Amino acid sequence: MRLNPKIVTQLQKKIAAARSILLLAHEFPDGDAFGSVAAMNFVLKHMKKKVDIAYLRLDNSSWDYLYFFKGLNIHEYSELAEKKYDLAIILDSSNENRLGEQKVLLSRCSFVINIDHHPDNSEFGDLNLLHWASAVGEILYFLFKKMKVDISRETAICLLISIITDTGRFKHSSTHRGIFKVIYEILKFVEPDDYYNIVQHLYSEVSLKKSKLIREALNNLEIFGKNIAFSYIPEDTGLEEGLVDNILSIKGIGAAVLARRVGKNIKLSLRAKDKTLNVRELAAQFNGGGHIHASGASMQLQDLPKQIEEIRQKVKKYFNKK
Ligand code: 5GP
Ligand code: MN
């Protein structure tokens, strides 16, 4: 990956000049959002910067097994309401709205750097480091190399988490051969058991609560046309991350759409494993976006059954035309 050298130079200058830095990612941080922010945090800490992390609605239980988790300087945005920063670095967010309510923090940051891999990124930063990549963690690996910073064990673990999760453990269409080389390089910086521990925690067990949610999603499952799966979860459980993949993994299914309640919103997750299907186009009909084969959208909750029915009809209609 060849990052734009001018942008990298500007970014380095901004980091060098900044004393206080705020790191942010999209709300409901997934592995890429969690890992890329945490990796950047370790690199900046090594450079003796004052760093705060704002995660909004992070599922702590997914990450608190990490030996360094407690030491991360994580805050809810409301705790940072009075603070000012020389610099904000935003990772894995295609636009400012993906930050959710914590967007308000940006007005108190003198400069905003946006580092992302979403093709529909709105370039909302004062400086934008955008590159096609399987994960933001992949961009960071090349950025850190360019910056000639030492990659610590913690940084390497975070980059692994970011890449393993955003490639869907190397099964999404974004998985390219170069990523294995990156993984090979990153593995040099971790301890022998680290990789095993990460994948065990990520993939070897599912809580009973979540298993019951999977059952609910399967109960509500409908199949449109040849291979389109649609389902919904009416409750707000905070455990739906990855649930859409359970539906998508059903043999013969080419694309899956899951709607669920999240606070005062309804969130849609769309995934395709049939490469001819573009779910981003459908997400755009709900004012969402993302990648061609993994996208999402969010809308205000008004009347859940009515809205679920409208979404259902739109999904059905969209794929009927295909
Ligand atoms: P997820 O289904 O995991 O929440 O999101 C999958 C992908 O869809 C994300 O990586 C992101 O690119 C995109 N995405 C999710 N929600 C939204 C949204 O509300 N708006 C936009 N523009 N993209 C979204
Ligand atoms: Mn990502």
Side-chain angles (χ1 to χ4, degrees):
M1 179 186 300
R2 208 179 115 75
L3 297 174
N4 183 320
K6 263 196 200 152
I7 292 179
V8 172
T9 307
Q10 276 174 283
L11 183 147
Q12 279 183 282
K13 278 189 188 155
K14 280 291 166 190
I15 289 178
R19 274 184 302 150
S20 57
I21 303 179
L22 175 66
L23 299 178
L24 302 127
H26 62 79
E27 63 174 336
F28 297 102
D30 57 4
D32 193 22
F34 169 76
S36 56
V37 162
M40 182 58 97
N41 158 79
F42 286 119
V43 164
L44 296 174
K45 279 275 172 69
H46 190 69
M47 298 165 84
K48 306 272 182 283
K49 303 291 172 186
K50 273 204 246 164
V51 184
D52 281 337
I53 295 176
Y55 283 131
L56 186 55
R57 305 193 176 94
L58 180 75
D59 176 8
N60 286 3
S61 67
S62 296
W63 312 111
D64 57 10
Y65 72 90
L66 292 163
Y67 68 90
F68 52 76
F69 185 78
K70 273 209 180 87
L72 292 173
N73 205 6
I74 299 176
H75 300 273
E76 276 274 327
Y77 72 100
S78 50
E79 298 164 13
L80 305 172
E82 304 301 320
K83 291 189 84 169
K84 286 187 174 166
Y85 298 90
D86 299 326
L87 180 63
I89 304 181
I90 301 171
L91 300 126
D92 201 31
S93 294
S94 46
N95 58 61
E96 284 169 298
N97 291 331
R98 295 281 288 127
L99 299 174
E101 298 98 305
Q102 56 186 351
K103 188 170 91 172
V104 294
L105 297 177
L106 297 189
S107 62
R108 273 174 291 102
C109 301
S110 310
F111 196 85
V112 173
I113 297 179
N114 161 25
I115 303 181
D116 189 31
H117 69 140
H118 291 99
D120 58 350
N121 190 289
S122 66
E123 303 188 24
F124 60 88
D126 299 310
L127 184 68
N128 302 286
L129 180 66
L130 307 175
H131 207 289
W132 183 90
S134 63
V136 175
E138 184 185 354
I139 300 179
L140 290 189
Y141 170 74
F142 288 99
L143 176 65
F144 296 160
K145 249 177 79 166
K146 263 255 164 302
M147 289 167 72
K148 295 196 167 56
V149 292
D150 289 333
I151 294 188
S152 66
R153 176 184 173 202
E154 292 80 15
T155 306
I157 288 175
C158 294
L159 293 179
L160 282 177
I161 288 172
S162 145
I163 296 169
I164 293 168
T165 56
D166 242 31
T167 57
R169 41 185 146 161
F170 309 108
K171 63 181 168 50
H172 291 165
S173 58
S174 57
T175 308
H176 58 101
R177 68 179 184 172
I179 200 64
F180 295 101
K181 202 170 163 202
V182 171
I183 292 289
Y184 171 80
E185 293 299 328
I186 296 174
L187 285 174
K188 292 177 185 170
F189 302 105
V190 300
E191 298 290 318
D193 279 347
D194 285 342
Y195 183 85
Y196 177 78
N197 284 334
I198 292 168
V199 290
Q200 285 301 306
H201 277 97
L202 282 173
Y203 302 118
S204 72
E205 57 179 25
V206 181
S207 69
L208 183 61
K209 250 188 171 170
K210 180 127 186 195
S211 303
K212 286 185 175 170
L213 269 191
I214 296 172
R215 179 177 66 188
E216 186 170 3
L218 291 175
N219 273 341
N220 295 339
L221 181 76
E222 271 187 275
I223 300 189
F224 299 146
K226 269 202 323 261
N227 63 353
I228 309 303
F230 171 75
S231 188
Y232 62 93
I233 301 275
E235 306 91 51
D236 181 3
T237 62
L239 290 173
E240 314 86 357
E241 171 71 27
L243 214 61
V244 67
D245 295 309
N246 290 90
I247 302 169
L248 187 68
S249 68
I250 298 169
K251 193 169 178 180
I253 292 300
V257 180
L258 178 77
R260 78 267 185 187
R261 200 183 135 187
V262 177
K264 291 180 184 148
N265 295 301
I266 297 178
K267 241 194 93 62
L268 283 187
S269 283
L270 307 94
R271 301 286 188 276
K273 67 180 186 217
D274 177 339
K275 281 192 172 182
T276 64
L277 298 173
N278 178 348
V279 288
R280 184 172 62 207
E281 206 177 80
L282 176 57
Q285 290 194 12
F286 299 96
N287 297 319
H291 313 274
I292 294 175
H293 300 131
S295 57
S298 185
M299 61 213 80
Q300 246 185 24
L301 176 69
Q302 282 148 355
D303 176 341
L304 187 82
K306 192 168 157 233
Q307 284 172 291
I308 296 282
E309 182 52 25
E310 281 165 10
I311 295 165
R312 191 181 159 273
Q313 293 297 344
K314 254 189 179 170
V315 174
K316 197 171 171 181
K317 195 168 155 203
Y318 176 80
F319 285 111
N320 268 344
K321 278 195 297 185
K322 296 277 131 185

